Amino acid sequence: MTVAERSRIDWAPIIDAFTKALGSDRVVRRKEEILVYECDGLTSYRQRPAVVVLPKTTEQVAAAVKICDRFQVPFVARGAGTGLSGGALPIADSVLIVTATLNQILSVDFDNQRVVVQPGVINNWVTQAVSGAGFYYAPDPSSQSVCSVGGNVAENSGGVHCLKYGVTTNHVLGLKVVLPNGDIVDIGGEVAETPGYDLCGLFVGSEGTLGIATEITLRILKAPQSIQVLLADFTSVEAAGEAVSAITSAGIIPAGMEMMDNFSLNAVEDVVATNCYPRDAAAILLIEIDGLPAEVAATGDRIAELCRQNGARTMTVASDPEERLRLWKGRKAAFAAMGKLSPDYYVQDGVIPRTQLPYVLGEIEALGDRHGYRVANVFHAGDGNLHPLILYNNAIPGQLEQVEELGGDILKLCVRVGGSISGEHGIGADKRCYMPDMFSPTDLETMGWVRQAFDPELLANPTKLLPTPRTCGEAARSVAAAAFPDAERF
């Protein structure tokens, strides 16, 4: 269905169908109520859907999707709305299916180390539910206190501990999914390995283009006996990058390894006041190790030695839970702290080989200078997942377009050194036009075949993930206008 055809949709029978299937209290139609759903965490783009539905069960999700299929109207799934790539951004004349009210932990099985949750369950709730028995859920995005598991599945989210324990896909055993035609299927299972195609692996990270997950079976881990966090500060960002390479080259895989530059750490201290980040440091590394007590002690000594060999000035070691939390508190609050420095920021999510860290960080600084914008660097150093935050003022006409161009240059840099345009935030509406920089036309065509196999009508989150058209230049001129004719840019 074209944009022009959608503009002629008669919504009265569609609204009536939703009301009969879900109840009037689960159908949101008033403009002032829809307003809160017009964007996700990428607030630069806003588009109101035609209608919002709030299903409470798998069957209600399926009923809503079947109505969309019957009337041939596109739908977008939305969880907590914390995504940073525009993945949950509605399109014009679409239905927004909100899964936030599917928020129950359905079962906990400690013997087999798994839990079953609905998509609206908040990430941190999983650990809270199992911590009393000595377990935890490893994937921990910085937004873990507010982001939902369904959104984590859609974007294949990571977090501090993804270096050692992997991202969301490594912890999802099975899924109950509503397909784009409304059928309900179970993929994966309750064990790590199942025969046949790895449909579970295919679905995780598909950004809502293959259907909507309504039940998610997660793997939980036994809490380690000992945990230690080290904070090392450096006189240059390059030296900190060399320390990261030295640690991983030595065969050490920390539970987490994060870097913050001087710009970022001072913003954090201004807002959070941890009083543990040296304000004159060019960069700091936060390194967490876990395991048996003797192993942690020996590994901590070796990491401290490698950091000093690569220019670390001082080392702070924390084993006490409260002290560890204090060291991590600033890193978890880094994005929010940017509000102290600038009215707006634009964050990217590129990935690079660890060996390229010193070079790429220097290039990002040069790109920022060339474009005339400050760039703060906060990132998962261990796996090379960068989060450059470009500071700007949306109230000044033209700045958004300029920082988007700078962000695009950073992504192209990541690809040029052998990396990726996304590590955990997804492609969404924000980065789809850069997919051809990373994938060949044949690659993209193959992805399109997979998408059409699940969704031949292309109703599930259309215009996201894959570029249409396939070149960034054409996309910049036409895709946004075609897909979001009424979208507002701020």
Side-chain angles (χ1 to χ4, degrees):
M1 183 180 294
T2 66
V3 173
E5 289 170 334
R6 287 204 302 269
S7 67
R8 297 192 296 269
I9 294 174
D10 180 6
W11 284 98
I14 302 174
I15 301 298
D16 183 60
F18 282 133
T19 301
K20 290 178 179 177
L22 280 67
S24 59
D25 60 332
R26 299 204 168 273
V27 180
V28 182
R29 181 66 170 142
R30 294 172 59 187
K31 289 184 178 180
E32 59 269 30
E33 294 176 333
I34 289 177
L35 186 64
V36 299
Y37 298 104
E38 67 178 358
C39 69
D40 60 8
L42 181 68
T43 58
S44 301
Y45 295 91
R46 304 186 181 191
Q47 171 68 60
R48 296 181 193 178
V51 61
V52 176
V53 295
L54 307 168
K56 187 70 175 177
T57 65
T58 295
E59 291 71 25
Q60 287 187 348
V61 173
V65 172
K66 284 180 179 178
I67 292 168
C68 292
D69 181 61
R70 188 199 323 162
F71 288 95
Q72 288 292 285
V73 293
F75 65 89
V76 177
R78 173 193 168 100
T82 61
L84 294 168
S85 64
L89 176 70
I91 67 172
D93 294 304
S94 68
V95 175
L96 195 66
I97 301 177
V98 177
T99 60
T101 52
L102 283 83
N103 57 7
Q104 300 299 308
I105 296 177
L106 301 176
S107 68
V108 178
D109 182 351
F110 292 122
D111 291 337
N112 292 295
Q113 297 188 208
R114 61 186 180 228
V115 299
V116 181
V117 306
Q118 292 183 311
V121 167
I122 300 302
N123 176 290
N124 201 39
W125 293 359
V126 182
T127 292
Q128 291 174 358
V130 301
S131 60
F135 290 88
Y136 74 107
Y137 178 58
D140 57 343
S142 294
S143 59
Q144 69 181 133
S145 63
V146 290
C147 66
S148 63
V149 175
N152 294 166
V153 168
E155 305 294 357
N156 194 20
S157 302
V160 168
H161 291 101
C162 67
L163 172 60
K164 183 175 182 179
Y165 295 104
V167 292
T168 299
T169 191
N170 303 112
H171 300 269
V172 176
L173 297 172
L175 297 161
K176 186 179 291 293
V177 173
V178 175
L179 296 176
N181 67 352
D183 288 348
I184 301 171
V185 298
D186 290 289
I187 58 178
E190 296 183 338
V191 295
E193 301 295 336
T194 55
Y197 295 115
D198 182 14
L199 296 179
C200 196
L202 176 65
F203 189 88
V204 177
S206 61
E207 303 192 24
T209 62
L210 305 183
I212 303 174
T214 59
E215 291 184 18
I216 305 159
T217 302
L218 299 173
R219 185 201 318 271
I220 53 175
L221 303 178
K222 193 68 177 176
Q225 291 185 20
S226 179
I227 303 174
Q228 187 179 94
V229 177
L230 296 86
L231 186 154
D233 69 275
F234 297 82
T235 56
S236 74
V237 173
E238 290 75 16
E242 295 290 357
V244 170
S245 295
I247 292 167
T248 54
S249 297
I252 300 171
I253 306 297
M257 186 156 48
E258 303 285 300
M259 186 187 296
M260 298 171 62
D261 64 11
N262 179 267
F263 202 7
S264 304
L265 68 89
N266 273 285
V268 164
E269 286 295 347
D270 287 342
V271 174
V272 183
T274 68
N275 297 316
C276 57
Y277 298 167
R279 284 183 175 271
D280 63 339
I284 62 169
L285 280 181
L286 283 166
I287 307 164
E288 182 172 301
I289 47 179
D290 61 12
L292 298 173
E295 175 192 11
V296 168
T299 303
D301 290 343
R302 179 62 176 141
I303 288 176
E305 178 186 352
L306 290 169
C307 286
R308 292 190 185 97
Q309 289 176 2
N310 285 276
R313 297 187 308 177
T314 60
M315 298 288 303
T316 301
V317 180
S319 297
D320 176 76
E322 289 189 6
E323 184 62 19
R324 294 199 315 264
L325 182 63
R326 191 166 72 94
L327 290 181
W328 278 120
K329 184 179 180 181
R331 168 60 186 92
K332 290 286 187 177
F335 281 23
M338 291 304 137
K340 179 78 171 180
L341 301 179
S342 176
D344 301 285
Y345 69 79
Y346 182 78
V347 62
Q348 275 300 356
D349 172 42
V351 183
I352 61 171
R354 287 184 293 259
T355 55
Q356 296 291 329
L357 269 174
Y359 168 73
V360 169
L361 292 174
E363 286 296 295
I364 289 176
E365 182 178 4
L367 285 171
D369 291 341
R370 189 178 312 151
H371 285 267
Y373 290 93
R374 297 180 296 175
V375 181
N377 287 290
V378 181
F379 55 94
H380 308 310
D383 60 349
N385 188 187
L386 308 179
H387 294 319
L389 296 121
I390 307 168
L391 308 185
Y392 73 107
N393 188 346
N394 240 340
I396 300 177
Q399 283 208 355
L400 174 58
E401 290 79 5
Q402 292 168 3
V403 298
E404 286 176 328
E405 182 180 354
L406 171 54
D409 286 346
I410 292 173
L411 294 180
K412 292 175 182 178
L413 168 65
C414 292
V415 173
R416 195 163 63 246
V417 299
S420 166
I421 60 174
S422 180
E424 59 173 338
H425 293 175
I427 302 301
D430 183 40
K431 289 182 279 189
R432 61 193 168 176
C433 66
Y434 297 107
M435 290 285 275
D437 289 277
M438 185 172 177
F439 298 103
S440 71
T442 302
D443 295 334
L444 295 171
E445 185 177 30
T446 303
M447 293 182 198
W449 288 345
V450 172
R451 184 172 187 166
Q452 287 186 317
F454 280 79
D455 182 19
E457 303 298 330
L458 298 181
L459 296 178
N461 212 10
T463 75
K464 309 293 176 58
L465 185 60
L466 298 181
T468 50
R470 290 178 180 159
T471 64
C472 191
E474 290 175 345
R477 291 192 297 271
S478 63
V479 169
F484 310 105
D486 304 316
E488 301 176 13
R489 304 177 83 238
F490 291 83

Coordinates of all heavy atoms in Angstrom, one line a residue, residues 130-163:
V130 N 15.4 -13.0 40.5 CA 16.1 -14.2 40.7 C 17.4 -14.0 41.6 O 18.0 -15.0 42.0 CB 16.6 -14.8 39.4 CG1 15.4 -15.1 38.5 CG2 17.6 -13.9 38.6
S131 N 17.7 -12.8 42.0 CA 18.9 -12.5 42.7 C 18.9 -13.2 44.1 O 19.9 -13.6 44.7 CB 19.2 -11.0 42.9 OG 18.1 -10.4 43.5
G132 N 17.7 -13.3 44.7 CA 17.6 -13.9 46.0 C 18.0 -15.3 46.1 O 18.5 -15.8 47.1
A133 N 18.0 -16.0 44.9 CA 18.4 -17.4 44.8 C 19.8 -17.5 44.3 O 20.3 -18.6 44.0 CB 17.5 -18.2 43.9
G134 N 20.5 -16.3 44.1 CA 21.9 -16.3 43.7 C 22.1 -16.4 42.2 O 23.1 -16.8 41.7
F135 N 21.1 -15.8 41.4 CA 21.2 -15.8 40.0 C 21.1 -14.4 39.5 O 20.7 -13.5 40.2 CB 20.1 -16.6 39.3 CG 20.2 -18.1 39.5 CD1 19.7 -18.7 40.7 CD2 20.9 -18.9 38.6 CE1 19.8 -20.1 40.9 CE2 21.0 -20.3 38.8 CZ 20.5 -20.9 39.9
Y136 N 21.4 -14.2 38.2 CA 21.2 -12.8 37.6 C 21.0 -13.0 36.1 O 21.3 -14.1 35.5 CB 22.3 -11.9 37.9 CG 23.6 -12.2 37.2 CD1 24.1 -11.3 36.1 CD2 24.4 -13.3 37.5 CE1 25.2 -11.6 35.5 CE2 25.6 -13.5 36.8 CZ 26.0 -12.7 35.8 OH 27.2 -12.9 35.1
Y137 N 20.5 -11.9 35.4 CA 20.4 -11.9 34.0 C 21.5 -11.0 33.4 O 21.6 -9.8 33.8 CB 19.0 -11.4 33.6 CG 18.8 -11.2 32.1 CD1 18.9 -12.3 31.3 CD2 18.5 -10.0 31.5 CE1 18.7 -12.2 29.9 CE2 18.2 -9.9 30.2 CZ 18.4 -11.0 29.4 OH 18.2 -10.9 28.0
A138 N 22.4 -11.6 32.6 CA 23.6 -10.9 32.2 C 23.5 -9.6 31.3 O 24.1 -8.6 31.6 CB 24.6 -11.9 31.5
P139 N 22.7 -9.6 30.2 CA 22.7 -8.4 29.4 C 22.1 -7.2 30.2 O 21.0 -7.3 30.7 CB 21.7 -8.8 28.3 CG 21.8 -10.3 28.2 CD 21.9 -10.8 29.6
D140 N 22.9 -6.2 30.2 CA 22.6 -5.0 31.1 C 22.8 -3.7 30.4 O 23.8 -3.0 30.7 CB 23.4 -5.1 32.4 CG 24.9 -5.2 32.2 OD1 25.3 -5.5 31.0 OD2 25.7 -4.9 33.1
P141 N 22.0 -3.3 29.5 CA 22.1 -2.0 28.9 C 22.1 -0.9 29.9 O 21.6 -1.1 31.0 CB 20.9 -1.9 28.0 CG 20.4 -3.2 27.8 CD 20.8 -4.0 29.0
S142 N 22.7 0.2 29.6 CA 22.7 1.3 30.6 C 21.3 1.8 31.0 O 21.1 2.3 32.1 CB 23.5 2.5 30.0 OG 24.9 2.2 29.8
S143 N 20.4 1.5 30.1 CA 19.0 1.9 30.4 C 18.2 0.7 31.0 O 17.0 0.7 31.0 CB 18.3 2.3 29.1 OG 18.3 1.2 28.1
Q144 N 18.9 -0.3 31.6 CA 18.3 -1.5 32.1 C 17.2 -1.3 33.1 O 16.3 -2.1 33.3 CB 19.3 -2.4 32.7 CG 20.0 -2.0 34.0 CD 21.0 -2.9 34.5 OE1 22.1 -2.6 34.8 NE2 20.7 -4.2 34.5
S145 N 17.2 -0.1 33.8 CA 16.2 0.1 34.8 C 14.9 0.6 34.2 O 13.8 0.7 34.8 CB 16.6 1.2 35.8 OG 16.9 2.4 35.1
V146 N 14.9 0.9 32.8 CA 13.7 1.4 32.2 C 13.4 0.6 30.9 O 12.2 0.6 30.4 CB 13.7 2.9 31.9 CG1 13.6 3.7 33.2 CG2 15.0 3.3 31.1
C147 N 14.4 0.0 30.2 CA 14.1 -0.6 28.9 C 13.5 -2.0 29.1 O 13.7 -2.6 30.2 CB 15.4 -0.7 28.1 SG 16.7 -1.8 28.9
S148 N 12.7 -2.4 28.1 CA 12.0 -3.7 28.3 C 12.7 -4.8 27.5 O 13.4 -4.6 26.6 CB 10.6 -3.5 27.7 OG 10.6 -3.2 26.3
V149 N 12.4 -6.0 28.0 CA 13.1 -7.2 27.4 C 12.7 -7.4 25.9 O 13.5 -7.7 25.1 CB 12.7 -8.5 28.2 CG1 13.3 -9.7 27.5 CG2 13.3 -8.4 29.6
G150 N 11.4 -7.0 25.6 CA 10.9 -7.1 24.2 C 11.8 -6.2 23.3 O 12.1 -6.6 22.2
G151 N 12.0 -5.0 23.8 CA 12.9 -4.1 23.0 C 14.3 -4.6 22.9 O 14.9 -4.5 21.9
N152 N 14.8 -5.2 24.0 CA 16.2 -5.8 24.0 C 16.2 -6.9 22.9 O 17.2 -7.0 22.2 CB 16.5 -6.4 25.3 CG 16.6 -5.3 26.4 OD1 16.7 -5.7 27.6 ND2 16.7 -4.1 26.1
V153 N 15.2 -7.7 22.8 CA 15.2 -8.7 21.8 C 15.1 -8.1 20.4 O 15.8 -8.6 19.5 CB 13.9 -9.7 22.0 CG1 13.7 -10.6 20.9 CG2 14.1 -10.5 23.3
A154 N 14.3 -7.1 20.2 CA 14.2 -6.5 18.9 C 15.5 -5.9 18.4 O 15.8 -6.1 17.2 CB 13.1 -5.4 18.9
E155 N 16.2 -5.3 19.3 CA 17.5 -4.6 18.9 C 18.7 -5.5 19.2 O 19.8 -5.0 18.9 CB 17.6 -3.3 19.6 CG 16.4 -2.4 19.5 CD 16.2 -1.9 18.0 OE1 17.1 -2.2 17.2 OE2 15.2 -1.2 17.8
N156 N 18.6 -6.6 19.8 CA 19.7 -7.5 20.2 C 20.7 -6.6 21.1 O 21.9 -6.5 20.8 CB 20.5 -8.0 19.0 CG 21.4 -9.1 19.4 OD1 21.3 -9.7 20.5 ND2 22.4 -9.4 18.6
S157 N 20.1 -6.1 22.2 CA 20.9 -5.1 23.0 C 22.0 -5.8 23.8 O 22.0 -7.0 24.0 CB 19.9 -4.5 24.0 OG 18.9 -3.8 23.4
G158 N 23.0 -5.0 24.1 CA 24.1 -5.5 24.9 C 24.2 -5.0 26.3 O 23.3 -5.1 27.0
G159 N 25.3 -4.3 26.5 CA 25.5 -3.7 27.9 C 27.0 -4.0 28.3 O 27.8 -4.5 27.6
V160 N 27.2 -3.5 29.6 CA 28.5 -3.6 30.1 C 29.1 -5.1 30.1 O 30.2 -5.3 29.8 CB 28.5 -3.1 31.6 CG1 29.8 -3.5 32.3 CG2 28.3 -1.6 31.6
H161 N 28.3 -6.0 30.4 CA 28.7 -7.4 30.6 C 28.7 -8.2 29.3 O 28.9 -9.4 29.3 CB 28.0 -8.1 31.7 CG 28.2 -7.6 33.0 ND1 27.4 -6.7 33.7 CD2 29.3 -7.8 33.9 CE1 27.9 -6.4 34.9 NE2 29.1 -7.0 35.0
C162 N 28.4 -7.6 28.1 CA 28.4 -8.3 26.9 C 29.7 -8.8 26.4 O 29.8 -9.7 25.6 CB 27.7 -7.5 25.8 SG 28.6 -6.1 25.3
L163 N 30.8 -8.2 26.9 CA 32.1 -8.6 26.5 C 32.4 -10.1 26.9 O 32.8 -10.8 26.0 CB 33.2 -7.7 27.2 CG 34.7 -8.1 27.1 CD1 35.0 -8.1 25.6 CD2 35.6 -7.2 27.9

